[in-house]
Amino acid sequence: MKRQLNFIIALFFLCLSSCNKLERISNEEKGAEIYTMYCGSCHIAPDVKDLTKEYWVKSVLPEMAARMGIDDGDFKRYDGMQFEEMEIIHNSGVYPSMPILEKQDWNLLKEYILNIAPDSLRTNVYTDSLTPQTRFKSRTFAIDDTPGSFFTMLKYEKDGNKFWTGDITGKILEYKFSSETSSLIHTAQNAVVDYVEKDTVSYITDIGILDPSELSTGKIIAAYKDSYVRLPDTLHRPVNNLVIDLNNDGLDEMIVSEFGHLTGQLSLLVLDENGVYTKKVLLSQPGTIRSVAKDMDKDGKLDIVAITSQGDESITILYQKDNLTFRSDKAIRFSPIYGSSWFELLDYDGDGDDDIITVNGDNADKTYIQKPYHGLRIHLNDGNNQFTETFFYPINGATRFVADDFDQDGDIDFTVISTFPDYENNPDYSMIYLENIDTSSNKFNSHSFKDSNLSRWFLLDKGDIDLDGDVDIILSAFTYVFVPVPQSITKVWGQNDADIMILENNLFDSDQVK
């Protein structure tokens, strides 16, 4: 309720200071002012032309109205929800109980949007054509006997040269490259989205409810040799758990990305003197996907870098001041319709500081359309954690990537996968290899993979799996069809057992990819 009240008060004073100006301008100018004022109050105001008129009308405008306390059209705020969810959303203030915008101003806002929204979006025109890659040799295999591929977690572990997968049924499998065998090591109740092994304990992250929900049924389970202990806090659709000693006291903290739905947060779990974890909210916003710990300001203390993908899509740096207290800074912000999906911290240009690479392309929402602003972006650090986007490579539906010097020529290359590619026009862009030719000019050679559409590749990781000195890539599949896919492609998915794809780097091999 406090969050809602503060938001309404801020908007009141914003409107009061602007009302005289609005009285002196045309309706079109008023609409533009209202759009900037309201749609940019909590996140970057998206470019109206980034969505078609159809999606503004049937999806975005009704939701916008509800978030302003206005009933418009047939949108039902609590349609299909349990009573408990309704209560959570009501108390959160996501949908104000009183209008925060006059109906006549709402109509001006709608008119402004619909007058300039396009009937269609431009399509990506690729200036370079993909050529078949020869860096990696691919092979696929099934890791279990279950029909279909529904893996929600993939992680390579160098120690033991193995990887773990988690699936929507709660199974955690371990695959060892030395024996080329898999084994079931743990079982949770729901989809497993993260797994961490420490010396005497392993931490399993169970998302709870996989589909969008306001219910907090997720959990972290501590798995010991002979027992399982569930941590006391329930979590709101957690998707990532970073286990690390942030304050150098010998005890690990947990930084949990609670993706949530309309609400969500980034949480810190701290072990107290009684051996009980206490919870502290670091960021109160939905859509947090992952966090990384790094000393970003070189003061000797670990900071946290996190990506959020709902509403105020952004990269946030949480600078650790004193013992587990943080100052938050939004280092990069994106439009709320970009669908931010992943980031990596790395020194791309070799100047000694960490740059940020991002991909955006999550398209499993109410505006499913091929979007030309999806792709991979390079954000260079000026040395003071001020980031500037210096490169964009368009890839429809880009969701994950790995970065490394795969050809060992001294620069960073990328392998990118798309969960939502343009299967009709550019199916080869579901997985591409960007070979870095010149870092200073961001020149890349773009390569396709002949087996890219054997499955829907959902997650990937990297490691030297054949122990020959170069970096290989591991991919896992998720073949559930949640957006339109041509029948010819889904038929292929159903006919093979491609749970896992291995891309073996042939840098030190004499064999060439056929």
Side-chain angles (χ1 to χ4, degrees):
M1 189 68 186
K2 182 178 179 182
R3 178 182 173 187
Q4 176 183 351
L5 182 60
N6 290 339
F7 177 65
I8 293 173
I9 291 172
L11 284 177
F12 171 76
F13 285 107
L14 189 59
C15 294
L16 191 64
S17 66
S18 304
C19 62
N20 290 333
K21 180 179 179 181
L22 289 176
E23 290 176 357
R24 299 191 299 269
I25 60 179
S26 68
N27 284 348
E28 181 180 354
E29 292 172 315
K30 284 182 183 179
E33 288 279 349
I34 294 169
Y35 184 77
T36 301
M37 184 189 308
Y38 284 88
C39 299
S41 59
C42 297
H43 52 68
I44 290 178
D47 188 333
V48 173
K49 296 179 181 179
D50 278 347
L51 282 179
T52 63
K53 190 173 300 184
E54 174 190 3
Y55 282 107
W56 278 108
V57 170
K58 75 178 186 181
S59 299
V60 181
L61 284 171
E63 175 77 15
M64 281 175 58
R67 288 177 182 253
M68 294 181 182
I70 298 170
D71 292 321
D72 188 85
D74 298 327
F75 181 78
K76 296 179 176 59
R77 304 179 188 187
Y78 306 110
D79 191 32
M81 294 183 185
Q82 302 177 31
F83 178 79
E84 185 181 353
E85 273 194 284
M86 297 181 192
E87 184 178 24
I88 292 170
I89 295 172
H90 174 77
N91 292 338
S92 73
V94 169
Y95 300 130
S97 56
M98 298 289 291
I100 59 176
L101 185 66
E102 296 290 338
K103 194 60 183 281
Q104 63 184 26
D105 288 336
W106 168 249
N107 289 330
L108 285 174
L109 174 60
K110 280 207 308 183
E111 182 181 0
Y112 165 73
I113 291 172
L114 297 179
N115 279 342
I116 62 176
D119 292 325
S120 62
L121 299 185
R122 63 178 174 84
T123 57
N124 280 329
V125 177
Y126 295 97
T127 56
D128 58 337
S129 59
L130 294 179
T131 58
Q133 65 83 27
T134 58
R135 170 61 49 219
F136 302 94
K137 181 169 54 180
S138 67
R139 61 183 174 94
T140 62
F141 59 90
I143 197 174
D144 58 25
D145 297 326
T146 304
S149 302
F150 304 102
F151 297 101
T152 49
M153 186 270 292
L154 173 71
K155 184 177 290 187
Y156 175 75
E157 175 63 28
K158 181 180 179 180
D159 185 14
N161 194 26
K162 59 192 177 182
F163 68 84
W164 301 301
T165 63
D167 69 12
I168 59 173
T169 69
K171 292 187 301 184
I172 301 176
L173 299 177
E174 179 177 88
Y175 182 90
K176 294 184 177 180
F177 286 103
S178 59
S179 60
E180 296 188 344
T181 58
S182 64
S183 59
L184 178 67
I185 58 172
H186 297 292
T187 302
Q189 289 182 310
N190 308 289
V192 174
V193 288
D194 206 351
Y195 178 70
V196 179
E197 283 193 353
K198 304 300 270 188
D199 292 337
T200 60
V201 60
S202 300
Y203 298 102
I204 303 165
T205 304
D206 178 328
I207 195 172
I209 300 174
L210 189 62
D211 293 330
S213 172
E214 285 306 309
L215 300 179
S216 295
T217 60
K219 51 189 170 291
I220 293 175
I221 303 160
Y224 296 91
K225 182 178 181 181
D226 300 314
S227 63
Y228 290 88
V229 177
R230 174 179 167 175
L231 272 61
D233 278 299
T234 55
L235 303 168
H236 190 185
R237 299 179 74 220
V239 295
N240 177 250
N241 180 23
L242 176 62
V243 183
I244 193 167
D245 183 2
L246 284 170
N247 56 352
N248 200 30
D249 66 351
L251 298 174
D252 285 330
E253 286 75 45
M254 298 187 191
I255 306 157
V256 183
S257 298
E258 297 185 65
F259 189 94
H261 179 35
L262 298 177
T263 64
Q265 59 199 23
L266 180 70
S267 301
L268 178 66
L269 303 183
V270 182
L271 195 63
D272 65 19
E273 62 274 9
N274 299 315
V276 177
Y277 281 97
T278 58
K279 183 176 178 179
K280 174 183 178 181
V281 176
L282 299 178
L283 284 178
S284 183
Q285 65 183 86
T288 307
I289 296 175
R290 98 181 273 241
S291 63
V292 173
K294 194 73 180 286
D295 183 5
M296 296 297 292
D297 54 4
K298 305 294 193 298
D299 66 350
K301 296 186 285 288
L302 283 176
D303 308 308
I304 301 169
V305 185
I307 184 171
T308 47
S309 63
Q310 302 264 84
D312 189 9
E313 295 192 19
S314 50
I315 300 286
T316 302
I317 302 176
L318 295 110
Y319 294 98
Q320 187 172 184
K321 299 185 297 183
D322 298 317
N323 185 25
L324 300 181
T325 61
F326 298 86
R327 173 180 63 85
S328 175
D329 175 58
K330 293 215 181 281
I332 305 172
R333 298 180 79 191
F334 304 103
S335 166
I337 59 175
Y338 266 35
S340 299
S341 296
W342 200 251
F343 83 102
E344 295 287 350
L345 265 181
L346 54 91
D347 185 4
Y348 172 75
D349 55 3
D351 64 354
D353 54 38
D354 283 309
D355 308 303
I356 294 177
I357 317 297
T358 61
V359 286
N360 66 289
D362 185 355
N363 219 0
D365 56 19
K366 299 176 182 179
T367 62
Y368 179 71
I369 188 174
Q370 295 301 327
K371 298 167 181 171
Y373 39 86
H374 283 174
L376 178 140
R377 289 174 165 83
I378 296 173
H379 312 264
L380 293 186
N381 191 341
D382 69 352
N384 297 303
N385 296 328
Q386 301 297 311
F387 296 87
T388 302
E389 181 183 321
T390 60
F391 177 72
F392 168 62
Y393 189 92
I395 309 171
N396 290 119
T399 45
R400 286 288 192 276
F401 71 98
V402 286
D404 212 298
D405 186 4
F406 292 108
D407 53 9
Q408 297 192 16
D409 64 350
D411 52 34
I412 300 296
D413 313 300
F414 303 102
T415 297
V416 188
I417 56 174
S418 167
T419 305
F420 311 95
D422 184 354
Y423 283 116
E424 297 290 346
N425 301 302
N426 293 293
D428 286 346
Y429 282 83
S430 61
M431 181 164 63
I432 65 170
Y433 172 51
L434 296 178
E435 178 190 7
N436 195 340
I437 302 303
D438 182 51
T439 296
S440 61
S441 62
N442 291 315
K443 179 176 173 52
F444 293 87
N445 284 341
S446 308
H447 302 288
S448 61
F449 290 83
K450 65 182 179 66
D451 295 330
S452 61
N453 290 312
L454 284 180
S455 192
R456 184 202 298 277
W457 305 112
F458 190 58
L459 302 169
L460 77 171
D461 206 346
K462 63 179 183 176
D464 183 8
I465 65 172
D466 50 10
L467 306 179
D468 66 350
D470 53 31
V471 179
D472 312 298
I473 299 171
I474 311 157
L475 302 99
S476 63
F478 195 90
T479 54
Y480 181 82
V481 179
F482 35 77
V483 293
V485 178
Q487 187 176 1
S488 59
I489 291 180
T490 58
K491 184 178 180 180
V492 171
W493 295 354
Q495 290 176 341
N496 64 58
D497 293 321
D499 289 340
I500 302 295
M501 177 183 281
I502 303 297
L503 298 175
E504 292 184 6
N505 193 331
N506 65 356
L507 183 63
F508 299 122
D509 293 346
S510 58
D511 297 336
Q512 294 298 310
V513 176
K514 299 295 190 272

